[in-house]
Amino acid sequence: MPTRRARAHELKLCHDSLYVAGALVLRRRCTEAQLTIVGEKNASKLQIKLNELGRRQDSVFLNNLSIECALLSTGCVLDALNAVVSGRVDCAAALIRPPGHHAERHRMMGFCVFNNVAVAASRALQMGVNRVMILDWDVHHGNGTQSCFEEDDRVLFVSIHRYDSGGFYPTGLAGGEKKTGFGKGAGFNVNIAWNEGGAGDAEYAAAFELVILPIAVEYAPELIIISSGFDSACGDPLGNCNLTPQGYAWLTHHLITIQPRILLCLEGGYNCNSVARSFSACIATLLGVPAPNIYQREPPSAAAFDSILRTALELRHHWASLRRKSDELFTINR
Protein backbone atom coordinates (compact mmCIF):
# COMPACT_ATOMS: atom_id res chain seq x y z
CA MET A 1 0.00 0.00 0.00
CA PRO A 2 1.23 3.55 -0.61
CA THR A 3 1.77 5.51 2.57
CA ARG A 4 0.94 9.03 3.67
CA ARG A 5 1.69 11.38 6.52
CA ALA A 6 -0.43 11.05 9.65
CA ARG A 7 -2.57 14.12 10.22
CA ALA A 8 -2.53 16.26 13.34
CA HIS A 9 -6.02 15.23 14.48
CA GLU A 10 -5.04 11.56 14.18
CA LEU A 11 -1.90 12.03 16.28
CA LYS A 12 -3.98 13.82 18.92
CA LEU A 13 -5.96 10.61 19.49
CA CYS A 14 -3.23 9.67 21.96
CA HIS A 15 -0.72 12.55 21.98
CA ASP A 16 -1.07 15.92 23.69
CA SER A 17 -1.98 18.80 21.39
CA LEU A 18 1.07 20.84 22.40
CA TYR A 19 3.40 17.94 21.67
CA VAL A 20 1.88 17.36 18.24
CA ALA A 21 2.04 21.06 17.41
CA GLY A 22 5.69 21.25 18.48
CA ALA A 23 6.65 18.23 16.39
CA LEU A 24 4.97 19.66 13.32
CA VAL A 25 6.72 23.00 13.81
CA LEU A 26 10.02 21.14 14.03
CA ARG A 27 9.27 19.34 10.76
CA ARG A 28 8.43 22.62 9.03
CA ARG A 29 11.61 24.26 10.28
CA CYS A 30 13.70 21.33 9.12
CA THR A 31 12.07 21.49 5.69
CA GLU A 32 12.61 25.23 5.43
CA ALA A 33 16.21 24.95 6.60
CA GLN A 34 16.90 22.16 4.13
CA LEU A 35 15.63 24.29 1.27
CA THR A 36 17.89 27.20 2.19
CA ILE A 37 21.02 25.23 3.09
CA VAL A 38 23.97 26.03 0.87
CA GLY A 39 27.10 24.02 1.49
CA GLU A 40 28.21 21.46 4.00
CA LYS A 41 28.84 24.00 6.77
CA ASN A 42 25.20 25.10 7.03
CA ALA A 43 23.99 21.50 6.93
CA SER A 44 26.28 20.76 9.83
CA LYS A 45 24.80 23.65 11.83
CA LEU A 46 21.29 22.23 11.40
CA GLN A 47 22.40 18.80 12.57
CA ILE A 48 24.12 20.33 15.63
CA LYS A 49 20.83 21.96 16.65
CA LEU A 50 18.97 18.67 16.18
CA ASN A 51 21.60 16.84 18.21
CA GLU A 52 21.10 19.32 21.05
CA LEU A 53 17.34 18.76 20.95
CA GLY A 54 17.83 14.98 20.95
CA ARG A 55 20.13 15.13 23.96
CA ARG A 56 17.39 16.82 25.98
CA GLN A 57 15.18 13.77 25.38
CA ASP A 58 15.64 10.17 26.53
CA SER A 59 17.56 8.16 23.92
CA VAL A 60 16.42 10.18 20.92
CA PHE A 61 18.51 10.87 17.82
CA LEU A 62 17.22 13.31 15.22
CA ASN A 63 18.09 14.41 11.71
CA ASN A 64 16.29 16.71 9.33
CA LEU A 65 13.94 13.94 8.14
CA SER A 66 13.09 12.32 11.50
CA ILE A 67 9.68 13.95 11.97
CA GLU A 68 8.80 13.43 8.31
CA CYS A 69 9.61 9.73 8.61
CA ALA A 70 7.65 9.46 11.86
CA LEU A 71 4.59 11.00 10.22
CA LEU A 72 4.85 8.52 7.34
CA SER A 73 5.30 5.65 9.79
CA THR A 74 2.11 6.47 11.70
CA GLY A 75 0.21 7.19 8.51
CA CYS A 76 1.19 3.79 7.13
CA VAL A 77 -0.10 2.05 10.25
CA LEU A 78 -3.38 3.96 10.13
CA ASP A 79 -4.01 3.03 6.51
CA ALA A 80 -3.19 -0.61 7.24
CA LEU A 81 -5.56 -0.50 10.22
CA ASN A 82 -8.33 0.90 8.04
CA ALA A 83 -7.87 -1.92 5.54
CA VAL A 84 -8.20 -4.55 8.29
CA VAL A 85 -11.10 -2.98 10.20
CA SER A 86 -13.06 -2.26 7.01
CA GLY A 87 -12.67 -5.88 5.91
CA ARG A 88 -10.71 -5.14 2.74
CA VAL A 89 -7.98 -7.46 4.03
CA ASP A 90 -7.93 -10.10 6.74
CA CYS A 91 -4.64 -8.93 8.24
CA ALA A 92 -1.84 -6.49 7.52
CA ALA A 93 1.79 -5.80 8.36
CA ALA A 94 3.50 -2.41 8.50
CA LEU A 95 7.23 -2.41 7.73
CA ILE A 96 7.97 0.97 9.28
CA ARG A 97 10.62 3.11 10.88
CA PRO A 98 10.86 4.83 13.28
CA PRO A 99 9.22 2.58 15.89
CA GLY A 100 6.73 4.03 18.36
CA HIS A 101 6.06 2.10 21.55
CA HIS A 102 8.25 4.23 23.84
CA ALA A 103 6.69 7.54 22.77
CA GLU A 104 4.43 8.91 25.49
CA ARG A 105 1.56 11.35 25.24
CA HIS A 106 3.80 14.35 25.76
CA ARG A 107 7.26 13.35 24.56
CA MET A 108 9.46 11.36 22.19
CA MET A 109 11.57 8.65 23.78
CA GLY A 110 13.70 5.62 22.96
CA PHE A 111 14.08 6.19 19.18
CA CYS A 112 10.30 6.78 19.02
CA VAL A 113 8.55 10.02 17.96
CA PHE A 114 4.87 9.09 17.65
CA ASN A 115 3.30 6.00 19.18
CA ASN A 116 2.16 4.26 16.00
CA VAL A 117 0.35 1.39 17.72
CA ALA A 118 -1.35 3.53 20.36
CA VAL A 119 -2.63 5.92 17.69
CA ALA A 120 -3.91 2.94 15.69
CA ALA A 121 -5.64 1.38 18.70
CA SER A 122 -7.29 4.70 19.54
CA ARG A 123 -8.46 5.04 15.94
CA ALA A 124 -9.82 1.48 15.99
CA LEU A 125 -11.94 2.34 19.04
CA GLN A 126 -13.17 5.44 17.23
CA MET A 127 -14.13 3.22 14.26
CA GLY A 128 -16.34 1.05 16.45
CA VAL A 129 -14.03 -1.77 17.53
CA ASN A 130 -15.04 -2.58 21.11
CA ARG A 131 -12.05 -4.59 22.36
CA VAL A 132 -8.48 -4.23 21.12
CA MET A 133 -5.61 -6.42 22.27
CA ILE A 134 -2.07 -5.07 21.89
CA LEU A 135 0.69 -7.66 22.18
CA ASP A 136 4.17 -6.15 22.51
CA TRP A 137 7.00 -8.67 22.16
CA ASP A 138 9.77 -6.10 21.66
CA VAL A 139 12.54 -6.83 24.17
CA HIS A 140 11.96 -3.39 25.74
CA HIS A 141 8.83 -2.59 27.71
CA GLY A 142 6.20 -0.64 25.77
CA ASN A 143 5.99 2.10 28.37
CA GLY A 144 4.40 4.64 26.05
CA THR A 145 1.62 2.32 24.94
CA GLN A 146 0.97 1.25 28.53
CA SER A 147 0.67 4.85 29.68
CA CYS A 148 -1.97 5.55 27.03
CA PHE A 149 -4.34 2.77 28.10
CA GLU A 150 -3.75 2.05 31.81
CA GLU A 151 -7.25 3.28 32.67
CA ASP A 152 -9.06 1.84 29.65
CA ASP A 153 -10.73 -1.59 29.68
CA ARG A 154 -11.34 -1.37 25.93
CA VAL A 155 -7.65 -2.10 25.32
CA LEU A 156 -5.85 -5.14 26.72
CA PHE A 157 -2.14 -4.33 26.71
CA VAL A 158 0.30 -7.24 27.05
CA SER A 159 4.08 -6.74 27.07
CA ILE A 160 6.75 -9.46 27.26
CA HIS A 161 10.12 -7.84 27.80
CA ARG A 162 13.39 -7.80 29.65
CA TYR A 163 13.04 -6.02 32.95
CA ASP A 164 16.05 -7.04 35.02
CA SER A 165 14.36 -5.84 38.23
CA GLY A 166 13.86 -2.40 36.71
CA GLY A 167 17.42 -2.08 35.39
CA PHE A 168 16.76 -2.74 31.69
CA TYR A 169 15.67 0.09 29.40
CA PRO A 170 13.33 1.83 30.00
CA THR A 171 14.51 1.69 33.59
CA GLY A 172 12.13 1.95 36.54
CA LEU A 173 9.14 0.04 37.83
CA ALA A 174 6.64 0.71 35.02
CA GLY A 175 7.41 -2.62 33.32
CA GLY A 176 7.02 -4.74 36.45
CA GLU A 177 4.32 -7.34 36.96
CA LYS A 178 2.62 -5.22 39.62
CA LYS A 179 1.60 -2.62 37.03
CA THR A 180 -1.78 -4.08 36.11
CA GLY A 181 -3.71 -0.91 35.27
CA PHE A 182 -6.06 1.11 37.42
CA GLY A 183 -9.59 2.48 37.46
CA LYS A 184 -11.63 0.92 34.67
CA GLY A 185 -8.39 -0.48 33.25
CA ALA A 186 -7.49 -2.51 36.34
CA GLY A 187 -6.41 -5.97 35.18
CA PHE A 188 -6.10 -4.98 31.54
CA ASN A 189 -2.36 -4.27 31.69
CA VAL A 190 -0.20 -7.39 31.62
CA ASN A 191 3.58 -7.29 32.05
CA ILE A 192 5.63 -10.47 31.78
CA ALA A 193 9.01 -9.21 32.88
CA TRP A 194 12.14 -11.29 32.34
CA ASN A 195 14.74 -10.60 35.00
CA GLU A 196 17.66 -11.86 32.93
CA GLY A 197 18.66 -12.31 29.31
CA GLY A 198 18.50 -15.53 27.34
CA ALA A 199 14.73 -16.02 27.02
CA GLY A 200 13.94 -17.98 23.88
CA ASP A 201 11.23 -20.07 22.27
CA ALA A 202 10.57 -22.17 25.38
CA GLU A 203 10.16 -19.15 27.65
CA TYR A 204 7.92 -17.17 25.28
CA ALA A 205 5.79 -20.21 24.49
CA ALA A 206 5.33 -20.85 28.22
CA ALA A 207 4.28 -17.22 28.77
CA PHE A 208 1.72 -17.61 25.98
CA GLU A 209 0.34 -20.92 27.15
CA LEU A 210 0.19 -20.13 30.86
CA VAL A 211 -0.87 -16.47 30.92
CA ILE A 212 -1.40 -14.67 27.60
CA LEU A 213 -3.62 -17.10 25.71
CA PRO A 214 -5.96 -17.80 28.66
CA ILE A 215 -6.47 -14.06 29.19
CA ALA A 216 -6.91 -13.45 25.46
CA VAL A 217 -9.54 -16.17 25.10
CA GLU A 218 -11.46 -14.73 28.04
CA TYR A 219 -11.14 -11.17 26.74
CA ALA A 220 -12.17 -12.10 23.17
CA PRO A 221 -10.57 -9.19 21.30
CA GLU A 222 -12.15 -7.94 18.09
CA LEU A 223 -8.73 -6.82 16.81
CA ILE A 224 -5.13 -7.70 17.70
CA ILE A 225 -2.28 -5.27 17.11
CA ILE A 226 1.24 -6.64 17.50
CA SER A 227 4.03 -4.30 18.53
CA SER A 228 6.51 -6.48 16.73
CA GLY A 229 10.01 -5.64 17.88
CA PHE A 230 12.62 -8.15 16.79
CA ASP A 231 15.26 -7.15 19.31
CA SER A 232 14.05 -10.18 21.28
CA ALA A 233 15.42 -12.32 18.44
CA CYS A 234 18.43 -14.56 18.58
CA GLY A 235 21.44 -12.53 17.45
CA ASP A 236 20.21 -9.08 18.46
CA PRO A 237 23.06 -7.16 20.13
CA LEU A 238 20.84 -5.18 22.52
CA GLY A 239 18.26 -7.73 23.63
CA ASN A 240 20.42 -10.79 24.28
CA CYS A 241 17.38 -13.03 24.00
CA ASN A 242 16.99 -16.10 21.81
CA LEU A 243 13.64 -16.13 20.02
CA THR A 244 13.96 -17.85 16.65
CA PRO A 245 11.99 -17.14 13.45
CA GLN A 246 10.13 -20.39 14.14
CA GLY A 247 9.29 -19.11 17.61
CA TYR A 248 7.85 -15.86 16.26
CA ALA A 249 5.82 -17.83 13.72
CA TRP A 250 4.43 -20.01 16.52
CA LEU A 251 3.43 -16.96 18.56
CA THR A 252 1.78 -15.37 15.52
CA HIS A 253 -0.14 -18.55 14.74
CA HIS A 254 -1.58 -18.71 18.23
CA LEU A 255 -2.69 -15.10 18.09
CA ILE A 256 -4.49 -15.88 14.81
CA THR A 257 -6.42 -18.64 16.61
CA ILE A 258 -7.70 -16.01 19.04
CA GLN A 259 -8.58 -13.36 16.44
CA PRO A 260 -7.58 -13.47 12.74
CA ARG A 261 -7.98 -9.71 12.35
CA ILE A 262 -4.35 -8.78 13.06
CA LEU A 263 -2.21 -5.73 12.38
CA LEU A 264 1.52 -6.35 12.84
CA CYS A 265 3.69 -3.24 13.24
CA LEU A 266 7.47 -3.24 13.27
CA GLU A 267 9.08 -1.84 16.41
CA GLY A 268 12.76 -2.35 17.39
CA GLY A 269 15.44 -4.69 16.11
CA TYR A 270 19.15 -4.06 15.68
CA ASN A 271 20.43 -7.05 13.73
CA CYS A 272 19.23 -6.68 10.14
CA ASN A 273 19.47 -10.40 9.41
CA SER A 274 17.50 -11.32 12.53
CA VAL A 275 14.84 -8.73 11.71
CA ALA A 276 14.52 -9.94 8.11
CA ARG A 277 14.21 -13.63 9.01
CA SER A 278 11.83 -13.03 11.91
CA PHE A 279 9.60 -10.58 10.05
CA SER A 280 9.41 -12.96 7.08
CA ALA A 281 8.38 -15.81 9.37
CA CYS A 282 5.55 -13.74 10.83
CA ILE A 283 4.36 -12.65 7.38
CA ALA A 284 4.39 -16.23 6.13
CA THR A 285 2.22 -17.26 9.07
CA LEU A 286 -0.23 -14.41 8.46
CA LEU A 287 -0.45 -15.60 4.84
CA GLY A 288 -1.41 -19.10 5.94
CA VAL A 289 1.85 -21.04 6.04
CA PRO A 290 1.42 -23.69 8.78
CA ALA A 291 3.11 -22.85 12.04
CA PRO A 292 6.22 -24.86 12.91
CA ASN A 293 6.15 -27.35 15.75
CA ILE A 294 8.33 -25.97 18.54
CA TYR A 295 7.19 -28.45 21.16
CA GLN A 296 10.48 -30.34 20.93
CA ARG A 297 11.98 -27.79 23.27
CA GLU A 298 13.55 -27.52 26.68
CA PRO A 299 11.30 -26.41 29.56
CA PRO A 300 11.45 -22.69 30.42
CA SER A 301 14.22 -21.56 32.71
CA ALA A 302 13.49 -21.30 36.43
CA ALA A 303 13.89 -17.52 36.28
CA ALA A 304 11.41 -17.22 33.41
CA PHE A 305 8.92 -19.51 35.13
CA ASP A 306 9.17 -17.33 38.22
CA SER A 307 8.38 -14.22 36.14
CA ILE A 308 5.36 -15.94 34.56
CA LEU A 309 4.11 -17.08 37.97
CA ARG A 310 4.46 -13.58 39.43
CA THR A 311 2.36 -12.10 36.64
CA ALA A 312 -0.30 -14.80 36.99
CA LEU A 313 -0.58 -14.22 40.73
CA GLU A 314 -0.88 -10.44 40.29
CA LEU A 315 -3.71 -10.81 37.78
CA ARG A 316 -5.57 -13.85 39.09
CA HIS A 317 -8.33 -11.86 40.81
CA HIS A 318 -9.11 -10.11 37.51
CA TRP A 319 -9.32 -13.18 35.25
CA ALA A 320 -11.16 -16.44 35.98
CA SER A 321 -8.89 -18.30 33.57
CA LEU A 322 -5.84 -17.24 35.59
CA ARG A 323 -7.37 -18.24 38.92
CA ARG A 324 -7.47 -21.79 37.63
CA LYS A 325 -4.09 -21.57 35.91
CA SER A 326 -2.23 -19.86 38.78
CA ASP A 327 -3.31 -22.59 41.23
CA GLU A 328 -1.78 -25.09 38.82
CA LEU A 329 1.37 -22.97 38.44
CA PHE A 330 1.76 -22.53 42.17
CA THR A 331 1.49 -26.29 42.68
CA ILE A 332 4.13 -26.92 40.00
CA ASN A 333 6.41 -24.27 41.49
CA ARG A 334 6.25 -25.88 44.93
Side-chain angles (χ1 to χ4, degrees):
M1 295 173 63
T3 190
R4 62 170 176 87
R5 298 182 192 94
R7 303 175 182 93
H9 72 274
E10 294 169 325
L11 297 171
K12 291 175 186 176
L13 290 171
C14 79
H15 287 293
D16 292 345
S17 295
L18 285 176
Y19 174 69
V20 173
L24 295 179
V25 167
L26 177 60
R27 172 186 171 269
R28 187 180 72 245
R29 288 179 177 171
C30 285
T31 301
E32 291 170 351
Q34 196 67 27
L35 290 172
T36 58
I37 282 173
V38 178
E40 189 174 320
K41 185 176 180 181
N42 287 336
S44 180
K45 286 181 180 179
L46 172 61
Q47 188 57 54
I48 288 170
K49 291 180 180 179
L50 291 170
N51 289 344
E52 290 172 354
L53 176 61
R55 278 193 292 270
R56 294 199 296 270
Q57 316 303 315
D58 181 349
S59 302
V60 172
F61 304 89
L62 299 170
N63 64 32
N64 61 298
L65 292 175
S66 293
I67 306 301
E68 175 74 2
C69 290
L71 289 168
L72 291 170
S73 184
T74 307
C76 176
V77 170
L78 287 169
D79 281 355
L81 169 80
N82 184 64
V84 174
V85 173
S86 67
R88 283 193 288 126
V89 298
D90 296 325
C91 55
L95 183 59
I96 51 173
R97 278 289 189 268
H101 71 152
H102 293 310
E104 298 184 339
R105 290 185 180 274
H106 63 294
R107 64 168 180 163
M108 56 186 75
M109 179 179 174
F111 311 156
C112 303
V113 178
F114 302 121
N115 197 314
N116 308 310
V117 162
V119 172
S122 299
R123 175 60 182 146
L125 296 173
Q126 194 179 61
M127 294 172 72
V129 177
N130 295 305
R131 293 180 305 281
V132 179
M133 176 180 175
I134 299 173
L135 190 285
D136 188 333
W137 62 43
D138 189 284
V139 80
H140 302 96
H141 178 238
N143 60 290
T145 312
Q146 174 175 295
S147 68
C148 288
F149 301 113
E150 284 180 301
E151 299 180 79
D152 197 335
D153 61 356
R154 298 173 301 168
V155 177
L156 171 65
F157 176 65
V158 182
S159 182
I160 320 175
H161 52 272
R162 274 192 66 179
Y163 180 59
D164 293 17
S165 302
F168 199 76
Y169 188 88
T171 57
L173 302 179
E177 71 279 350
K178 293 185 179 297
K179 298 296 183 180
T180 58
F182 52 91
K184 289 180 66 177
F188 293 87
N189 195 84
V190 180
N191 284 321
I192 297 178
W194 307 136
N195 282 313
E196 62 182 22
D201 293 356
E203 286 71 31
Y204 280 80
F208 260 56
E209 291 170 337
L210 300 174
V211 173
I212 296 170
L213 294 178
I215 290 176
V217 169
E218 190 172 343
Y219 183 65
E222 296 177 355
L223 171 73
I224 295 176
I225 304 177
I226 305 174
S227 264
S228 186
F230 294 115
D231 42 11
S232 45
C234 183
D236 188 89
L238 295 188
N240 292 312
C241 285
N242 290 310
L243 256 178
T244 67
Q246 293 76 21
Y248 284 112
W250 188 91
L251 301 180
T252 304
H253 167 76
H254 282 275
L255 291 174
I256 293 170
T257 66
I258 301 297
Q259 172 55 258
R261 287 208 300 182
I262 289 179
L263 171 58
L264 185 147
C265 304
L266 185 62
E267 295 282 1
Y270 308 98
N271 178 318
C272 291
N273 290 328
S274 296
V275 171
R277 289 193 293 266
S278 302
F279 193 86
S280 297
C282 292
I283 297 301
T285 305
L286 290 174
L287 291 173
V289 174
N293 182 2
I294 64 168
Y295 278 98
Q296 301 301 320
R297 64 178 191 253
E298 296 294 323
S301 69
F305 188 84
D306 180 68
S307 293
I308 295 166
L309 176 62
R310 287 172 182 270
T311 299
L313 292 176
E314 286 294 335
L315 289 162
R316 63 185 300 184
H317 62 285
H318 295 288
W319 301 97
S321 55
L322 282 194
R323 284 194 288 277
R324 296 187 294 271
K325 187 66 70 172
S326 57
D327 287 338
E328 174 189 331
L329 287 172
F330 186 69
T331 301
I332 294 172
N333 192 52
R334 286 194 300 179

